[in-house]
């Protein structure tokens, strides 16, 4: 018996975008959807009651981090993740395999965890210094990070990977932890999430062909082991690997699609640019059947969401909307000046907002924008007041929920391409 069911309610006539519904034992998820990330069983700065009030449909928690702290066995004793968080809607968990990248290559190769799925782009965006940047700051209150040095210093690789599994050295206490498919499935079973991921090795964009192939072969064996060991009350997604090498992606897609996973996730390195990512999806998605939901791991910028939905992705997860909020970047709709160039953001740190009595986004209906001014938020940010984190997170989260709702409405009404034009212009 299946742990979830998936139904396509409408297929867009002009693109591969699809409106869908995932049914789980904890409720339904309308897709396309960006799943808010609750790494340590919490969307940072918010409570589970906030999530429900904002209309969050589901959430994604992190297997590796919860295994370390507070421990999956403790969470099982306390009734599982839903009861632990007091969040009774569907929960996804990842498999822990992503930490092979974030604690391994990401540190060793000096590539940071999130934006650096595209490291070259981050480091070499043309003409983002000097006058143009000043100009952007004036126009949008947003200054691009100077491209000089990568963000992270080269650090120790905290993983040891073999065909048997992955050993992780905890960055906090230095203790070693070992994960393999069986253990990852056991931890996810203890957590009691609704949708779980097969254990895999996530490679770096800097991994070469031979290494990526080796890791992919290993992940394929682990995918089968995950299928053997997983808790049947949970829906297991297989993860397609293969980096940005066409033949590897094709092989991994055929392998994962041929197995009885309840959903398919696309993981691993997606290349060095957004174009590479589109290419990876074009190698992958047309080879998948229509019946199973498709998840793209770790992607969540507005332009990426639109491009990937157009190619047939149903769900995404990404820490970016809430993380950037904490760092001062607040999302802006096209009606309020948001565009591709300013990444639909304003930077609340900018002195131009010192006496700005307008809300973050005058067209936003989130609780924060109903009475809080940019000036007040800037003051809270500069003063490092804790309330800033909550108010800013509420805005960015609400903004993305509303954006995805708009995407779903547009597929329902047959106006998806018009919506894409409104946000991205051109085409
Ligand atoms: Zn708002």
């Amino acid at each position: 018996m299946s742990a979830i069911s998936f139904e396509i309610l409408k297929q867009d006539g002009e693109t591969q975008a699809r409106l869908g519904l995932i049914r789980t034992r904890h409720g339904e998820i309308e897709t396309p959807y960006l799943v808010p990330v609750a790494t340590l069983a919490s969307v940072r700065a918010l409570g589970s009651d906030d999530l429900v009030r904002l209309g969050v449909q589901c959430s994604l928690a992190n297997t590796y981090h919860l295994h370390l702290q507070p421990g999956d066995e403790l969470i099982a004793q306390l009734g599982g993740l839903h009861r632990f968080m007091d969040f009774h809607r569907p929960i996804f968990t990842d498999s822990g395999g992503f930490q092979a990248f974030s604690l391994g290559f990401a540190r060793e190769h000096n590539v940071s965890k999130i934006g650096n799925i595209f490291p070259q782009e981050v480091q070499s965006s043309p003409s983002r210094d000097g006058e143009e940047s000043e100009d952007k700051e004036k126009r949008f209150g947003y200054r691009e990070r100077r491209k000089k040095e990568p963000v992270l210093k080269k650090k120790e690789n905290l993983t040891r990977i073999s065909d048997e599994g992955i050993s992780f050295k905890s960055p906090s206490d230095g203790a070693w932890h070992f994960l393999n498919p069986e253990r990852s499935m056991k931890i996810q079973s203890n957590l009691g999430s609704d949708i779980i991921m097969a254990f895999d090795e996530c490679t770096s964009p800097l991994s070469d062909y031979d290494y990526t192939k080796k890791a992919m072969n290993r992940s394929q064996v682990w995918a089968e082991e995950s299928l053997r060991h997983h808790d049947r009350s949970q829906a297991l997604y297989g993860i397609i690997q293969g980096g940005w090498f066409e033949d590897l992606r094709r092989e991994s897609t055929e392998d994962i699609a041929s197995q009885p996973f309840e959903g398919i996730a696309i993981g691993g390195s997606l290349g060095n640019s957004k174009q590479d990512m589109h290419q990876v999806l074009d190698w992958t998605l047309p080879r998948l059947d229509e019946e199973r939901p498709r998840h793209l791991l770790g992607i969540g910028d507005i332009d990426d969401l639109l491009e990937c939905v157009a190619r047939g992705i149903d769900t995404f997860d990404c820490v970016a909307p809430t993380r950037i909020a904490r760092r001062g970047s607040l999302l802006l709709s096209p009606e309020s000046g948001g565009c591709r160039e300013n990444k639909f953001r304003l930077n609340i740190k900018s002195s131009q907002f010192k006496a700005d009595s307008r809300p973050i986004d005058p067209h936003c209906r989130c609780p924060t924008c109903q009475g809080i001014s940019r000036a007040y938020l800037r003051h809270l940010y500069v003063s490092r007041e804790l309330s800033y984190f909550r108010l800013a997170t509420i805005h960015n989260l609400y903004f993305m929920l509303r954006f995805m709702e708009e995407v779903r409405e547009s597929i329902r009404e047959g106006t998806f391409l018009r919506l894409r034009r409104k946000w991205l212009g051109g085409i």
Side-chain angles (χ1 to χ4, degrees):
M1 213 189 99
S2 304
I4 58 167
S5 71
F6 177 61
E7 189 184 345
I8 296 176
L9 305 174
K10 177 137 190 222
Q11 176 75 54
D12 184 43
E14 298 166 304
T15 68
Q16 296 305 309
R18 52 208 214 154
L19 182 73
L21 190 65
I22 301 173
R23 292 190 182 89
T24 80
R25 64 205 157 107
H26 284 99
E28 298 177 343
I29 307 163
E30 291 176 22
T31 63
Y33 197 64
L34 172 64
V35 182
V37 177
T39 302
L40 277 168
S42 161
V43 172
R44 282 198 178 167
L46 301 186
S48 296
D49 56 336
D50 292 315
L51 303 185
V52 171
R53 232 182 339 263
L54 290 170
V56 166
Q57 297 190 70
C58 57
S59 173
L60 181 142
N62 189 284
T63 288
Y64 170 79
H65 292 292
L66 288 173
H67 170 59
L68 260 55
Q69 177 76 26
D72 49 289
E73 286 176 5
L74 177 72
I75 291 175
Q77 269 174 40
L78 294 170
L81 205 44
H82 294 85
R83 188 178 294 175
F84 189 55
M85 292 173 68
D86 193 24
F87 180 74
H88 302 280
R89 296 186 176 181
I91 297 178
F92 291 60
T93 42
D94 65 0
S95 67
F98 179 70
Q99 279 67 37
F101 167 62
S102 65
L103 297 174
F105 282 124
R107 293 167 63 95
E108 192 182 14
H109 289 174
N110 211 357
V111 176
S112 81
K113 192 159 86 167
I114 285 295
N116 28 19
I117 286 178
F118 310 115
Q120 291 173 14
E121 191 170 83
V122 170
Q123 288 165 35
S124 63
S125 310
S127 65
R128 297 223 166 143
D129 283 339
E131 281 180 26
E132 190 183 325
S133 182
E134 292 296 330
D135 191 41
K136 271 187 186 165
E137 189 177 33
K138 272 188 216 120
R139 275 158 57 209
F140 308 123
Y142 174 77
R143 185 196 284 267
E144 294 277 353
R145 183 185 290 284
R146 293 291 173 96
K147 65 186 178 192
K148 312 176 273 208
E149 294 91 30
V151 181
L152 295 177
K153 294 241 164 65
K154 218 170 182 177
K155 290 179 186 164
E156 182 195 0
N157 184 326
L158 298 176
T159 61
R160 300 286 178 270
I161 302 169
S162 71
D163 289 344
E164 281 67 52
I166 307 177
S167 295
F168 302 92
K169 190 177 180 184
S170 162
S172 52
D173 63 5
W176 285 90
H177 299 265
F178 178 72
L179 286 188
N180 62 13
E182 191 175 352
R183 294 188 77 149
S184 170
M185 293 307 109
K186 178 66 185 157
I187 296 169
Q188 295 186 77
S189 171
N190 281 338
L191 296 174
S193 40
D194 301 277
I195 294 177
I196 64 174
M197 298 287 157
F199 189 65
D200 66 331
E201 179 187 349
C202 177
T203 52
S204 157
L206 305 183
S207 297
D208 64 13
Y209 181 87
D210 289 344
Y211 188 83
T212 306
K213 186 175 168 68
K214 198 171 156 190
M216 180 195 77
N217 287 334
R218 193 149 45 208
S219 292
Q220 285 176 195
V221 174
W222 291 353
E224 285 167 35
E225 285 180 31
S226 298
L227 270 171
R228 269 201 298 282
H229 292 289
H230 86 285
D231 180 337
R232 299 293 189 275
S233 69
Q234 299 177 298
L236 177 63
Y237 280 33
I239 303 182
I240 296 170
Q241 289 289 341
W244 51 302
F245 301 104
E246 184 174 0
D247 62 324
L248 300 186
R249 278 287 172 186
R250 286 187 177 183
E251 188 186 328
S252 181
T253 304
E254 273 154 30
D255 182 74
I256 296 295
S258 70
Q259 300 186 54
F261 291 109
E262 293 198 47
I264 307 287
I266 298 172
S269 152
L270 297 167
N272 292 311
S273 68
K274 288 176 188 273
Q275 286 70 34
D276 287 353
M277 176 173 75
H278 301 158
Q279 185 66 73
V280 167
L281 295 183
D282 292 340
W283 292 331
T284 314
L285 291 170
R287 292 187 150 65
L288 294 175
D289 50 79
E290 296 284 319
E291 290 75 35
R292 289 179 282 189
R294 303 149 174 183
H295 185 89
L296 183 58
L297 288 153
I299 296 296
D301 284 347
I302 299 269
D303 54 343
D304 294 334
L305 292 167
L306 288 166
E307 296 298 345
C308 299
V309 164
R311 286 169 166 79
I313 296 285
D314 303 302
T315 53
F316 304 81
D317 70 274
C318 192
V319 294
T322 46
R323 175 178 288 172
I324 63 168
R326 298 193 301 274
R327 295 178 180 176
S329 290
L330 303 176
L331 293 164
L332 272 187
S333 61
E335 291 86 353
S336 302
C339 60
R340 230 175 180 164
E341 218 184 355
N342 60 16
K343 297 188 178 175
F344 305 95
R345 300 171 190 179
L346 62 76
N347 194 329
I348 200 68
K349 282 176 269 189
S350 170
S351 56
Q352 76 180 89
F353 302 126
K354 202 171 178 180
D356 192 334
S357 61
R358 290 173 297 169
I360 305 164
D361 182 333
H363 291 88
C364 176
R365 293 166 170 246
C366 86
T368 303
C369 288
Q370 301 321 299
I372 303 285
S373 66
R374 293 174 177 181
Y376 181 60
L377 268 178
R378 181 179 181 277
H379 157 70
L380 296 178
Y381 181 88
V382 172
S383 316
R384 301 185 162 272
E385 276 296 326
L386 295 181
S387 56
Y388 165 80
F389 295 99
R390 179 180 156 75
L391 293 166
T393 304
I394 284 176
H395 169 77
N396 275 12
L397 186 57
Y398 179 96
F399 185 99
M400 293 309 297
L401 294 173
R402 178 64 203 128
F403 170 70
M404 293 310 294
E405 206 175 304
E406 229 182 290
V407 168
R408 293 193 298 277
E409 279 165 14
S410 76
I411 301 172
R412 192 176 291 119
E413 287 158 17
T415 56
F416 175 71
L417 279 183
R418 200 193 303 164
L419 179 83
R420 189 164 77 166
R421 264 197 308 277
K422 174 184 131 185
W423 285 82
L424 304 182
I427 322 168

